[in-house]
């Protein structure tokens, strides 16, 4: 919607609708001045400079020198058919104003990417260019055309304030002393969201309202930010100020206590030095008397300590003997258990290895027995059929020449 093109425009012309009015641009010779090469002697001089800012400012573009021609340049007739030798393109491109600008722009975008940018909308207060004069209609019209009024209206309708999750922890975690953050800054988003909900639910408990039978909280948590309803963030900030007041009182109390304690320690130290000098003279004489008695007591105590150490060594030696026998017994019993288990494992392994062979032999024996049974059955049936045939022949002979017809079924039995 910002670009427009009239039917009388050439291919290299276009227009832009600015706030102040429409402006027509010509694309011819747009970046001609940016293709001017920097002098080689200037580049070499900057390279040899001892100043790091000057020497590091050189940006070289090692890319190709060929550029695609625009449709306007293709259609425009070339008045100068011959190109001067000074304007011929070489296979190697030197530093130009364009490459210098490109390097500086890249550094600027890198610095902007490392910071948190804020965009400022400039508003012209009046058309007379006079100080301390505000034309409300013109200012509001500028804000409305820039979309600021609509953006503010939309943002203030439901959630006018928003903060990132880490900012919520940094600013409002002091309001809930019993809150313990479980998720670290590098944890997953779901864990961070749960911590934010837990913190804000306990802090904003008093601003919850009941609407249509449901409790409406003063905030909503997104994936990276927390959105606050109207008045919720102000309530938190006010509560934070009161909390800071309480913390300031605590800090004052600690500082005053530290100052008083330091003063007390200095007085106490000097008092101790005075008392030490007075007590030193009284204690020295008493020390000389007690040293003789202490030597006797030390001898008696060292004798008792030696006896106790001797008893302890004897007890340790006996305990070592008992431990040795016990460990030997435990090891021997464990060896028996392991040996029994190894025998069982060997038996199971051998059984598992012989069981398939036994099953194959058993299957072969069953197959042979089955074939023998079938053979015996067939023999028995043949014998019965032979006996019936003989009996039938006898009955035919006895009947005096009667014709006898014998039928045989599938099982081999005959009937007449």
């Amino acid at each position: 919607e910002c670009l427009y093109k009239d039917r009388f425009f050439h291919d290299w012309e276009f227009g832009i609708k600015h706030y102040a009015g429409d402006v027509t641009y010509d694309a011819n010779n747009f970046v001609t001045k940016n293709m001017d090469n920097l002098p080689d002697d200037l580049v070499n001089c900057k390279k040899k400079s001892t100043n790091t800012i000057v020497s590091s400012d050189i940006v070289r573009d090692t890319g190709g020198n060929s550029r695609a021609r625009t449709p306007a340049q293709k259609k425009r007739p070339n008045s100068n058919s011959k190109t001067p030798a000074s304007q011929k393109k070489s296979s190697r491109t030197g530093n130009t104003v364009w490459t210098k600008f490109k390097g500086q722009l890249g550094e600027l975008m890198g610095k902007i990417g490392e910071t948190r940018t804020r965009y400022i909308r400039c508003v012209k207060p009046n058309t007379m260019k006079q100080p301390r004069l505000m034309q409300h209609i013109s200012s509001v019209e500028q804000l409305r055309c820039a979309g600021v009024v609509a953006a503010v209206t939309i943002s203030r309708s439901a959630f006018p304030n928003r903060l990132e999750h880490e900012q919520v922890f940094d600013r409002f975690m002091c309001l809930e002393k019993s809150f313990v953050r479980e998720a670290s800054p590098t944890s997953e988003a779901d864990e961070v969201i749960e911590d934010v909900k837990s913190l804000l639910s306990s802090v904003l408990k008093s601003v919850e309202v009941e609407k249509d039978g449901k409790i409406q909280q003063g905030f909503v948590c997104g994936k990276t930010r927390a959105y606050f309803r109207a008045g919720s963030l102000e309530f938190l900030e006010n509560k934070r100020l009161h909390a800071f007041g309480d913390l300031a009182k605590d800090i004052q109390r600690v500082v005053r206590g530290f100052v008083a304690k330091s003063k007390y320690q200095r007085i106490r130290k000097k008092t101790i030095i005075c008392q030490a000098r007075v007590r030193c003279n009284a204690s020295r004489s008493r020390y000389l008397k007690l040293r003789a008695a202490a030597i006797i007591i030390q001898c008696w105590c060292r004798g008792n300590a030696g006896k106790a150490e001797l008893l302890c060594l004897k007890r340790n030696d006996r305990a070592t003997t008992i431990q040795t026998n016990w460990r030997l017994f435990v090891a021997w019993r464990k060896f028996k258990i392991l040996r029994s288990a190894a025998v069982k494992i060997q038996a199971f392994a051998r059984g598992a290895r012989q069981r398939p062979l036994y099953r194959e032999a058993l299957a072969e024996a069953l197959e042979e027995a089955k074939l023998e049974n079938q053979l015996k059955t067939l023999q028995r049936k043949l014998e019965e059929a032979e006996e019936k045939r003989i009996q039938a022949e006898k009955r035919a002979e006895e009947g005096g020449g009667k014709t006898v017809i014998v039928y045989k079924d599938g099982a081999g039995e005959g009937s007449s």
Side-chain angles (χ1 to χ4, degrees), residues 103-121:
Q104 292 177 351
L105 182 60
E107 294 179 0
L108 177 61
M109 294 304 295
K111 290 181 180 178
I112 291 176
E114 295 175 357
T115 58
R116 300 179 61 184
T117 56
R118 294 290 185 270
Y119 297 96
I120 301 174
R121 178 69 64 180

Side-chain angles (χ1 to χ4, degrees), residues 140-180:
V140 172
E141 187 66 23
Q142 293 179 54
L143 294 175
R144 186 177 289 108
C145 292
V148 176
V149 176
V152 172
T153 303
I154 293 172
S155 64
R156 297 288 295 182
S157 60
F159 302 98
N161 306 108
R162 66 194 70 180
L163 288 176
E164 294 183 357
H165 292 162
E166 293 299 327
Q167 293 180 349
V168 172
F169 288 127
D170 293 339
R171 296 182 67 84
F172 305 126
M173 197 161 59
C174 61
L175 302 180
E176 189 67 24
K177 296 182 179 179
S178 61
F179 174 76
V180 178

